[in-house]
Amino acid sequence: MRRACLALLALLAVPTAARAEGARKVVLVVSASSAEQVESVTNALRAQLGDLPTEVVVETPSPVPAELRARLDYAADACTRNDAVGAFFVEAERADDLLLYLVEPRARRALVRRVKKQAGAEQAGLEELGIIVRSSVGALLEGREIGMEAGPDLATPEPKPSPPPKPEPAPVAPRPAPPRAQEASSTGRLAAHYAGQAFAAEVAWQSGLGVELAASPDRRWVFGLGYVALSPVEVESSAARVKVARHPLRGFAGYEVPAGGFRLGLELGLIGELDRRATTRTASGVEPTESADTWSAALSPRVTFRYPVWQGTEVWAGLGLDLFLNDSDYVAELAGRTETLLSPYRARAGAAMGLSVDLW
């Protein structure tokens, strides 16, 4: 029986000890017209806080400061001395109402709440005040917003003297950076690429292989010359079959700027193109014309994108539009009429993609 009683006492002591360990302090200061009124207010507030994990510390200043600012300073000092989560100052000596002030650690303003007194119902006012204090303490413990209004400013605490600065270690001389190879201000490059173009409505997308040789005096301005070997196009009708071989030569000038890891360029070129036509078949009664060469010229703007893949080597792509200055339709002359075999576009969209290497 004795062992059972000891075990029961031990079990009851465990939550009590845990509660005491987790308890946090709340300071209570009451200003009233009599000692009996101070005791009545203190007991009402203690009753509301009895089941919260808090330790109520009652401060009794003697005498109670008369000025509001001095009262709040006293509450702030008591909060700091007791390492409390907050200090409540109750002004109960007023005839019309009760004033409750809350001072938090390191706060610059006090919080205030007013409770109206009613004649013959003083206890009801104390119960309402106790409920406000209980709710405010719960909010302090849980870190919630406190349902009280902003009150007067508190005295600015004197700053704590800063500790003397630690002596700085002697500076370590930085290691000289390894010399970097200076990038050449000029460069020359050779590029090989695939080239494709929309040539005419009568034929499919025309493809070929191109080569360009370019030079730059400052890695910004670029001047170059290029040639594209295009596959010949051949069209036919009931009257004739025509084969056209194109040989475009393009000179250009451009400007390139770095853009992230890429180089973005804008070029303006001038194309001189030699077109060689040959009639490979005619219908009976239709005389073939002799093979002939035609020269045409075009303006050739182009946008380029370059990305370095290793030292001195870049992958690049370009989009452009060749604007030809002259027409060159290919027709078959029949008895009393003509038949158009091939009508190239005046504006020919094109694309290029390839690899370029630096020559110096």
Side-chain angles (χ1 to χ4, degrees):
M1 185 66 181
R2 183 180 179 183
R3 291 181 179 179
C5 292
L6 291 175
L8 180 59
L9 290 175
L11 290 175
L12 291 175
V14 169
T16 304
R19 181 176 174 184
E21 181 182 356
R24 303 175 69 179
K25 294 181 181 180
V26 175
V27 175
L28 181 62
V29 185
V30 180
S31 172
S33 57
S34 64
E36 291 78 9
Q37 191 179 18
V38 171
E39 184 177 2
S40 177
V41 174
T42 304
N43 292 338
L45 299 184
R46 280 184 179 275
Q48 288 290 341
L49 301 177
D51 60 340
L52 294 181
T54 58
E55 178 185 348
V56 180
V57 178
V58 179
E59 289 278 344
T60 55
S62 182
V64 177
E67 297 293 333
L68 175 59
R69 184 61 176 269
R71 293 182 172 189
L72 296 180
D73 290 345
Y74 179 85
D77 180 65
C79 184
T80 303
R81 282 187 286 103
N82 291 279
D83 193 21
V85 296
F88 293 93
F89 196 104
V90 182
E91 290 187 352
E93 69 267 38
R94 292 174 172 267
D96 54 347
D97 51 19
L98 299 169
L99 284 181
L100 173 68
Y101 295 95
L102 170 59
V103 177
E104 299 177 75
R106 296 177 298 278
R108 295 188 177 183
R109 295 178 68 91
L111 301 178
V112 63
R113 188 70 176 269
R114 185 184 301 269
V115 177
K116 288 290 184 181
K117 286 183 179 180
Q118 296 182 5
E122 290 80 3
Q123 192 60 33
L126 291 180
E127 290 180 1
E128 182 180 353
L129 185 70
I131 293 173
I132 295 172
V133 171
R134 176 186 175 86
S135 175
S136 301
V137 171
L140 286 172
L141 296 177
E142 298 174 7
R144 293 185 285 105
E145 184 177 356
I146 301 172
M148 298 178 68
E149 300 177 0
D153 292 335
L154 300 175
T156 304
E158 296 183 0
K160 296 182 179 179
S162 56
K166 296 181 179 180
E168 296 184 359
V172 179
R175 295 181 180 179
R180 295 188 302 173
Q182 293 186 349
E183 186 179 18
S185 59
S186 64
T187 184
R189 65 187 177 215
L190 179 65
H193 62 277
Y194 159 83
Q197 191 177 68
F199 175 52
E202 294 83 2
V203 297
W205 178 267
Q206 192 176 15
S207 299
L209 296 177
V211 62
E212 287 184 359
L213 181 63
S216 172
D218 56 3
R219 291 191 176 270
R220 295 278 182 160
W221 288 100
V222 181
F223 305 91
L225 189 66
Y227 171 77
V228 178
L230 295 165
S231 56
V233 296
E234 193 168 5
V235 293
E236 65 177 335
S237 68
S238 57
R241 179 189 297 129
V242 174
K243 181 179 181 181
V244 178
R246 303 172 56 205
H247 301 279
L249 187 65
R250 179 176 182 268
F252 62 90
Y255 191 77
E256 296 180 356
V257 294
F262 292 83
R263 291 183 66 83
L264 178 64
L266 181 63
E267 297 177 357
L268 180 61
L270 181 63
I271 293 179
E273 180 174 306
L274 173 64
D275 297 338
R276 291 190 165 179
R277 175 197 54 78
T279 303
T280 59
R281 184 191 66 81
T282 60
S284 59
V286 179
E287 292 292 333
T289 56
E290 296 182 358
S291 299
D293 295 343
T294 302
W295 283 95
S296 57
L299 294 176
S300 177
R302 185 170 71 177
V303 177
T304 61
F305 307 87
R306 299 183 177 274
Y307 182 76
V309 289
W310 57 83
Q311 184 68 29
T313 305
E314 295 176 324
V315 174
W316 71 278
L319 297 173
L321 185 67
D322 296 343
L323 305 173
F324 280 79
L325 306 179
N326 54 316
D327 286 327
S328 56
D329 291 345
Y330 299 89
V331 300
E333 296 182 353
L334 307 175
R337 64 184 179 87
T338 60
E339 181 179 341
T340 301
L341 301 178
L342 185 63
S343 181
Y345 297 125
R346 291 284 298 273
R348 306 173 190 175
M353 183 170 60
L355 196 70
S356 69
V357 295
D358 290 347
L359 300 179
W360 64 80

